Amino acid sequence: MKRYPHTSRILVALDCIVFGFDGSQLKVLLIKRNFAPEKGKWSLLGGFLDHDEDMNDAGNRILYELTGLKNIYFEELKTFSGVNRDKVERTISVCHFALINIHAHNPDAVKSKNAYWYTLQSLPDLIFDHREMVDLALQKLRYKAALHPIGFELLPPQFTLPQLQKLYEAIYNEKLDRRNFSRKIISTHLLIDTGQKNEGGQTKKAILYALDKHKYQKQFNAFHYFISGFGTSA
Amino acid sequence: MKRYPHTSRILVALDCIVFGFDGSQLKVLLIKRNFAPEKGKWSLLGGFLDHDEDMNDAGNRILYELTGLKNIYFEELKTFSGVNRDKVERTISVCHFALINIHAHNPDAVKSKNAYWYTLQSLPDLIFDHREMVDLALQKLRYKAALHPIGFELLPPQFTLPQLQKLYEAIYNEKLDRRNFSRKIISTHLLIDTGQKNEGGQTKKAILYALDKHKYQKQFNAFHYFISGFGTSA
């Protein structure tokens, strides 16, 4: 078989920060590593790219094995390629992040993989450069959630304004003013009033909304205005 | 030497879309490939990741070899990992894009590598998935130039408002209204009036500006407002 004369053939891994939102806190799924090196230490979930799959296949496979979910939102973040990042042998990792509705995943799949949800405030030490990956993913999530409604992937398809506000507060780790938030989010015209109300809550019944994905495609800029009010300049 | 049992060790390449701006048009640097497969065909510039370098080292090396420039602005775009994208042997490519002031590069280095500048409107057929890479890079450049002043990397350190407008027109491939553009860009307060004027032009002397990079760091949101006026919603 003909090959290139270049000889640096290396392992390619895919590591993934899986964000979940439980209604009040943003969490990350971590896995207790069951092979050397660093056996028993905490790690992001990941795996090697197989010979017959591209990165998208690998991401879907790895996420499905761990969460039991298909069609998860995930995107590529950055390649971590430090020469000595893995002591066993050189491995580059194409780091991704995924967003899931925490109540939709399969807890048995997660448990069987020795995986647990950690809040961002209570992350244990992570192997290799995985902590750097989490920090970068969080930064990207904050950036993107300000410009795009990707945060909605973390919510059920129908949600109340207080739920949405709690999500944004968890992502940015800061309290937002309720009236300002409602006014701004409504003014984007990206929410559909489903005509239904939240039944289970302890407080008074709140309107259930859904994201108008079709309209969003056409109206990306509204989110620019949205964030400009309560983002970094506030 | 201990190794992982996984066997899919593969070549990792770095391909780079190098954008340059010549004062009126946005161009891409292409190279005539001098090895098989696809010898004699047009390609992005790129190379394999060596065993002793990370992606950043490889990018700097490849860009320096081709343009004679150091400290070029470049960033990672996406990993192209199709199983059969290279017929010789499996190679994944971590695609990057770079922005340079076209008048600053070393034309001898470029010529000696068999490289040429092509306008976006006159790109020849490209090998593998390189056309897809160019399209994605252009999309990212348009997105980012609206939100961040990365476009300034394509200009000399001091520039006039008409030069800046021509750059934005080239990036978005559309005519912009001069008065609206000036008003909006001035209102971001990100330009420093250098107190000097452009001497060489045929038209009347125009003020030379520079980007206030320090202020930009603090004031990212001004660019959100800036683009919202003439972007996709216009």
Side-chain angles (χ1 to χ4, degrees):
Chain A
M1 199 179 73
K2 239 177 106 182
R3 303 227 289 175
Y4 285 115
H6 198 85
T7 56
S8 294
R9 289 174 187 81
I10 55 184
L11 290 173
V12 176
L14 183 153
D15 286 306
C16 192
I17 296 99
V18 181
F19 288 112
F21 178 65
D22 68 1
S24 67
Q25 287 187 296
L26 195 61
K27 293 182 171 175
V28 175
L29 197 52
L30 297 179
I31 194 162
K32 207 168 213 173
R33 195 166 150 109
N34 60 1
F35 59 98
E38 308 279 11
K39 189 173 172 176
K41 299 276 181 67
W42 292 99
S43 153
L44 294 171
L45 81 143
F48 292 114
L49 181 69
D50 280 337
H51 72 280
D52 58 350
E53 60 183 10
D54 65 19
M55 212 53 81
N56 197 47
D57 298 333
N60 279 311
R61 170 177 58 80
I62 291 165
L63 286 166
Y64 177 72
E65 284 171 3
L66 195 83
T67 66
L69 293 177
K70 291 185 179 182
N71 302 318
I72 292 180
Y73 179 91
F74 68 101
E75 65 173 80
E76 187 176 325
L77 196 56
K78 182 184 155 67
T79 302
F80 284 72
S81 56
V83 175
N84 297 310
R85 55 180 298 280
D86 189 323
K87 300 293 178 216
V88 173
E89 76 171 285
R90 184 162 195 198
T91 306
I92 68 167
S93 171
V94 184
C95 175
H96 289 65
F97 73 96
L99 306 177
I100 74 174
N101 168 2
I102 207 166
H103 299 298
H105 79 285
N106 178 351
D108 293 333
V110 165
K111 237 181 254 170
S112 76
K113 299 282 175 187
N114 241 342
Y116 299 87
W117 290 99
Y118 279 91
T119 65
L120 285 167
Q121 286 75 32
S122 67
L123 290 184
D125 285 343
L126 300 177
I127 63 163
F128 304 160
D129 42 17
H130 286 197
R131 178 65 206 221
E132 206 184 318
M133 291 177 178
V134 173
D135 292 342
L136 192 66
L138 183 61
Q139 197 182 316
K140 185 74 174 275
L141 176 62
R142 286 177 173 164
Y143 178 86
K144 289 206 73 167
L147 300 170
H148 307 262
I150 64 164
F152 293 84
E153 300 286 340
L154 293 157
L155 289 174
Q158 300 194 354
F159 48 83
T160 66
L161 284 188
Q163 285 174 324
L164 185 61
Q165 179 172 342
K166 275 186 184 152
L167 169 65
Y168 271 84
E169 289 178 337
I171 291 176
Y172 295 101
N173 196 27
E174 64 179 276
K175 270 275 174 210
L176 301 172
D177 178 73
R178 187 181 61 79
R179 290 175 68 160
N180 267 341
F181 182 83
S182 298
R183 187 173 46 77
K184 291 211 169 215
I185 196 80
I186 293 291
S187 74
T188 65
H189 301 293
L190 289 177
L191 298 187
I192 301 166
D193 181 341
T194 65
Q196 296 185 287
K197 294 208 173 189
N198 195 17
E199 297 291 339
Q202 298 162 310
T203 51
K204 70 173 181 179
K205 292 174 187 172
I207 296 166
L208 283 166
Y209 291 93
L211 174 66
D212 188 336
K213 290 190 185 181
H214 178 69
K215 201 163 182 181
Y216 158 64
Q217 299 294 343
K218 293 196 192 167
Q219 199 183 322
F220 167 62
N221 280 332
F223 260 70
H224 289 216
Y225 284 116
F226 175 53
I227 190 57
S228 304
F230 72 82
T232 51
S233 70
Chain B
M1 198 179 74
K2 239 177 108 181
R3 302 226 289 176
Y4 285 115
H6 198 85
T7 56
S8 294
R9 290 174 187 82
I10 55 183
L11 290 173
V12 176
L14 182 155
D15 287 305
C16 192
I17 295 99
V18 181
F19 287 112
F21 178 63
D22 69 2
S24 67
Q25 287 186 298
L26 195 62
K27 294 182 171 177
V28 175
L29 197 52
L30 298 179
I31 195 163
K32 207 168 215 173
R33 195 166 151 109
N34 61 1
F35 58 96
E38 308 278 11
K39 189 172 172 176
K41 298 276 182 68
W42 291 100
S43 153
L44 294 170
L45 82 142
F48 293 114
L49 181 70
D50 280 337
H51 72 279
D52 59 350
E53 60 183 10
D54 64 19
M55 213 52 83
N56 197 47
D57 298 332
N60 279 310
R61 170 177 58 79
I62 291 166
L63 286 166
Y64 177 71
E65 284 171 2
L66 195 84
T67 65
L69 294 176
K70 290 185 179 183
N71 301 318
I72 291 179
Y73 179 92
F74 68 99
E75 66 173 78
E76 187 175 326
L77 196 57
K78 182 185 156 69
T79 302
F80 284 71
S81 55
V83 175
N84 297 310
R85 56 182 297 282
D86 188 323
K87 300 293 178 216
V88 173
E89 75 171 284
R90 183 161 196 199
T91 305
I92 68 166
S93 170
V94 183
C95 175
H96 288 66
F97 74 97
L99 305 178
I100 73 174
N101 169 3
I102 208 168
H103 299 298
H105 79 285
N106 178 352
D108 292 334
V110 165
K111 238 181 253 169
S112 76
K113 298 282 176 186
N114 241 343
Y116 300 86
W117 291 100
Y118 278 92
T119 65
L120 285 167
Q121 287 74 33
S122 67
L123 290 184
D125 284 345
L126 300 176
I127 64 163
F128 304 161
D129 43 15
H130 286 197
R131 177 67 207 218
E132 207 185 319
M133 292 177 177
V134 173
D135 291 344
L136 193 65
L138 183 61
Q139 197 183 316
K140 186 71 174 278
L141 176 63
R142 286 178 173 163
Y143 178 85
K144 289 206 74 168
L147 300 171
H148 307 263
I150 64 164
F152 293 84
E153 301 286 340
L154 293 157
L155 289 174
Q158 300 193 353
F159 47 83
T160 65
L161 285 189
Q163 285 175 324
L164 185 61
Q165 181 172 343
K166 275 186 185 153
L167 169 65
Y168 271 83
E169 288 179 338
I171 291 175
Y172 294 101
N173 197 26
E174 64 178 274
K175 271 277 176 208
L176 302 172
D177 178 73
R178 188 181 60 80
R179 290 175 67 161
N180 266 343
F181 182 83
S182 299
R183 188 174 46 76
K184 291 212 169 215
I185 196 81
I186 294 291
S187 74
T188 64
H189 300 293
L190 290 176
L191 298 188
I192 301 167
D193 181 341
T194 65
Q196 296 185 287
K197 293 207 173 188
N198 195 19
E199 296 293 339
Q202 297 161 311
T203 52
K204 69 171 184 181
K205 293 172 187 171
I207 297 166
L208 283 166
Y209 291 93
L211 174 66
D212 188 337
K213 289 190 184 182
H214 178 69
K215 201 163 181 182
Y216 158 63
Q217 299 293 342
K218 292 195 193 168
Q219 199 183 322
F220 166 61
N221 280 332
F223 260 71
H224 289 217
Y225 284 116
F226 175 52
I227 189 57
S228 302
F230 73 82
T232 51
S233 69

